[in-house]
Each structure stands twice: as structure tokens, then as C-alpha cells.
Amino acid sequence: MLNESFHITEVRLRSLVPSKLKRPFFDGTGGPFDSYNMRVLSVTDADGTVGHSLSYGDCDRHLLRHLFTGRPTPHSEIYPKMYWSLRNAGFRGPAMGGLGALDRAFADIGAKRAKKPLHRYLGATRDWAAAYGSGGSTALTEEQLLEELLGFAERGFHTVKMKVGTNLGTEMERDIARVRSVRKHLGSGVRLAVDANQAWSSKLALRFIQSIADCDIAWFEEPVHSADLIAIREFCSGSEIPAAFGESERSSKVYPSLVEAGVRHLQPNPLGSASCHEWFEVRDLAVRHELPLSLPGQPQVGCVFAATAPETTLSEILFPVLWGFSEYFLREPKLENGRFLLPDDPGNPLVVDFDFLTSKGLLRSDTRILPKDVLGEGP
């Protein structure tokens, strides 16, 4: 994609009406999450090709001033100018998410021009990606928790994940009992991961993991604050269970420090990464250090990137929050026996049905931005 040229003539951002969840979802430090918000970014090239991507962030006007060049411009010229225009917004905030959405839209355009499915355009040599079932809200009763996680196993997932750190980490004994119950009922054939969403100090996180040391935990996700490298190092030095970090990051520049601190499971989120290239930098870092990868965020996006990584790479499906929107899409990767099967149609495998959303009144806003709106009509 670095060698591609783009002449962008329009940017369009659609925001959907929030979709209500079946029940509010809670984790260690967040909730109630009672709805899911989806936004779609579209960019149109002068050759008529339109690239789409789901977006976590807005398109900052600083970006668009560099995007609308008025001529075919190499990606290698456009992207650095957009990237550095955001420096004062910080490299770990939502502005970088908006930049990443633009970059994925560029990739969609490139794949369509090349008449390749997006994952192949990005370098994948296979047409599938493994996935794992995620959920286990801290608000569920033990019966509900077991029903959900055992249901994941019955659907063919070899790894499942549950939430711990209940009520900002103040109910550790309850968390321990729930993990033990799930481990007992899952049996030894299914891997179990736990996610505290940064709820504990390193001392408390180590106490928790020592209390479930015999439960064969695959990884412990964000046991401590994601920005506290000292606490991360303290936890990793005292835990036999691999710590997983990366979901909260936007820049690949952070990951070598995480690895140096002892993190043994990396979780770069394609929807949060500042670019496709930065995501690939994290992937390559994991490969060099022989570390496992799992991808949080929207699973039908994650699976595209997971297909470019080692076969053991997992795309997370947070079923209670991010699943059940098939009617929104004209096309999406097929989920079968715990893995995604990627179609061979050109471009992004996740194609939003805008006609359906419009007819059902599900578009909350639809903003078109043209060069004149950003650059002005005169000198």
C-alpha cells in the first residue's frame, strides 16, 4: 500500500443509532455497557473507487487538510503528514483511531483496484483465521456465566475468556470462586483466559493469580493499569501466567517496552492502530519474540489481520456486545467451528448495507466532507 497513490475527493462518516444489548455488560472497571455504537468511514477516490472501514474515532480536520491534495499522491507522502499533524493530540488517543480508519479505507481501495480480497492484499497466504469466544460479564450469575462460556465451547471454540476484577477489583473472592467453577465445568480440553480490565495493583493482581494458579489459565489480560510500566513489570516478574497487554494502545512504539517489561502475549487492535503498517510492526515483533497474538475489537475486522499472522493468532469475539448484527451487512466473514472463513471477493469482507440501515431509520448521522469544506473555495 505504501506504493499506492490516492486522489481523495470525498470523505463520508456515518454514525448508526446505538443498538441495545440484550442485557447490560460489565467488566472490572466499566459498565453498564447497554448499547453498541457503530461508525463507518468512507473515502472516495477520483477514479470512482470507494474504500470503507469501521471507525473508533473522528476524522480530525488536521488530517483532511493533508488528505485532500487535489492530485494523485503516494500513500508514503500523505500518511506521514496526517500522522504528524496529530502529534499534539497525543499518540494514544481517539485521533489516532480516526487516522487508522482512514488508512484501512485506503487499503480497501487498494484491494479493490488489485481485485484481491483485503486479507490477501495485506499479505495473507490463507483464507481463514482462528477465533475465541469472549464474554463472562461480572454481572452474570454463576449459572448464567457457565451457560455462556460452556456455550462457546459447544460452538467449537477452543479458547474462551471471562471477566474478573468485579466492582473495581473489590470482590476478589467472588472472582476466584467464579474462575474455579468455570474451569471445573469446562474441563481440560478448552483454554480459559481471564481479563481484569486494569482493575488491580500489581500486588493484588499477583494475589489473585496465585489463588487460581492451578486453574490452567491461558493468559491474564490487563491485570494492572495499562500505562503503568512499573506495575506491569512487577506483575510479570512475579507471575507464571502470561500477562496480555496492547488493547489500550494506538501506537506500535509502545510494544517493545511492553515486551521488555515481561509481557508475553500481545493484543494489537486493528481498529485502534494508527495504521495497517503499525499493526504489522506489532505482529512482526510478536513473531520475532515467539509471542502469541490475540486481536480485540470488532471481530470481522480483526480476522482480516489475524489471517496475515501465524495460524495460532486469535480474533476475539465479544459475543454479548459485538455480535448479532448480520442484518447490517451485505457481506461478512463466515464463522464456522471456531474460526472465520474469509471470502474471495475484492476488498473488505465486511460490507455494510447502507440501504437497509437507511430504510430502518438506523442512520443517526451522515456527514459528507468535500475539499472545499476543509480547504476553502478560494486562496
Side-chain angles (χ1 to χ4, degrees):
M1 188 167 67
L2 295 177
N3 296 323
E4 293 268 2
S5 289
F6 301 94
H7 181 183
I8 303 304
T9 59
E10 178 182 294
V11 171
R12 191 169 179 179
L13 185 63
R14 299 173 177 94
S15 180
L16 279 60
V17 174
S19 179
K20 289 291 184 181
L21 305 182
K22 292 182 179 179
R23 62 163 66 100
F25 187 84
F26 292 78
D27 59 34
T29 55
F33 303 106
D34 57 8
S35 62
Y36 173 57
N37 301 326
M38 190 182 300
R39 309 169 88 182
V40 185
L41 176 74
S42 304
V43 296
T44 302
D45 193 89
D47 67 7
T49 310
V50 182
H52 303 285
S53 68
L54 298 189
S55 176
Y56 274 178
D58 285 322
C59 278
D60 191 285
R61 292 299 172 110
H62 294 295
L63 295 179
L64 299 180
R65 291 187 65 84
H66 296 291
L67 179 67
F68 293 131
T69 63
R71 57 182 172 83
T73 307
H75 178 277
S76 58
E77 179 181 331
I78 300 173
Y79 183 84
K81 292 179 179 179
M82 292 195 298
Y83 178 85
W84 287 109
S85 76
L86 299 176
R87 68 179 190 185
N88 292 338
F91 295 108
R92 304 176 97 174
M96 282 292 155
L99 175 60
L102 278 172
D103 202 56
R104 293 192 306 278
F106 286 160
D108 190 26
I109 290 175
K112 289 172 179 173
R113 287 173 177 169
K115 296 181 171 54
K116 292 182 178 181
L118 182 57
H119 65 289
R120 291 282 180 172
Y121 176 75
L122 294 175
T125 58
R126 66 178 190 276
D127 300 316
W128 60 269
Y132 75 93
S134 175
S137 165
T138 58
L140 295 179
T141 66
E142 184 174 329
E143 181 180 2
Q144 291 169 331
L145 177 67
L146 290 172
E147 180 182 7
E148 182 173 87
L149 296 187
L150 293 177
F152 296 160
E154 291 169 1
R155 294 183 63 171
F157 293 100
H158 300 294
T159 302
V160 301
K161 189 177 77 180
M162 63 179 287
K163 298 295 187 179
V164 296
T166 304
N167 194 19
L168 298 178
T170 61
E171 300 183 33
M172 186 181 292
E173 293 306 315
R174 176 179 183 267
D175 290 321
I176 292 169
R178 285 157 67 85
V179 171
R180 289 191 167 280
S181 178
V182 169
R183 179 74 279 173
K184 174 183 175 181
H185 287 86
L186 275 179
S188 60
V190 179
R191 299 199 310 159
L192 174 63
V194 296
D195 183 357
N197 290 98
Q198 312 177 52
W200 284 311
S201 66
S202 58
K203 181 179 179 180
L204 289 175
L206 285 168
R207 181 192 302 174
F208 171 77
I209 207 66
Q210 289 161 4
S211 298
I212 57 170
D214 59 341
C215 290
D216 191 22
I217 301 301
W219 71 80
F220 189 0
E221 190 165 325
E222 293 191 325
V224 301
H225 198 298
S226 65
D228 190 342
L229 285 172
I230 294 175
I232 291 173
R233 187 187 301 276
E234 289 173 348
F235 176 83
C236 291
S237 65
S239 174
E240 293 296 321
I241 305 301
F245 281 91
E247 179 176 8
S248 300
E249 306 302 337
R250 301 292 178 263
S251 172
S252 62
K253 304 296 186 289
V254 179
Y255 287 83
S257 297
L258 292 176
V259 174
E260 195 275 336
V263 173
R264 288 184 282 152
H265 186 125
L266 300 183
Q267 297 184 308
N269 182 353
L271 262 73
S273 295
S275 71
C276 298
H277 179 72
E278 290 213 12
W279 190 90
F280 293 138
E281 287 184 336
V282 181
R283 176 202 63 187
D284 294 345
L285 176 71
V287 170
R288 287 197 303 273
H289 289 272
E290 299 183 337
L291 299 176
L293 282 165
S294 60
L295 280 61
Q298 222 288 339
Q300 293 101 325
V301 176
C303 66
V304 172
F305 288 82
T308 74
E311 293 185 3
T312 53
T313 301
L314 298 172
S315 183
E316 178 182 13
I317 308 176
L318 184 57
F319 277 98
V321 179
L322 298 176
W323 199 251
F325 302 98
S326 289
E327 61 183 358
Y328 288 13
F329 307 122
L330 290 170
R331 185 178 78 216
E332 63 179 327
K334 182 180 180 181
L335 181 62
E336 185 176 287
N337 295 325
R339 66 182 190 174
F340 283 106
L341 306 180
L342 295 163
D344 60 4
D345 305 82
N348 197 327
L350 189 65
V351 179
V352 177
D353 189 346
F354 294 114
D355 289 339
F356 169 81
L357 296 174
T358 300
S359 68
K360 297 296 183 179
L362 294 175
L363 281 181
R364 181 169 62 178
S365 64
D366 184 354
T367 303
R368 276 191 169 99
I369 306 173
L370 302 174
K372 66 181 179 63
D373 299 322
V374 178
L375 304 176
E377 296 184 356

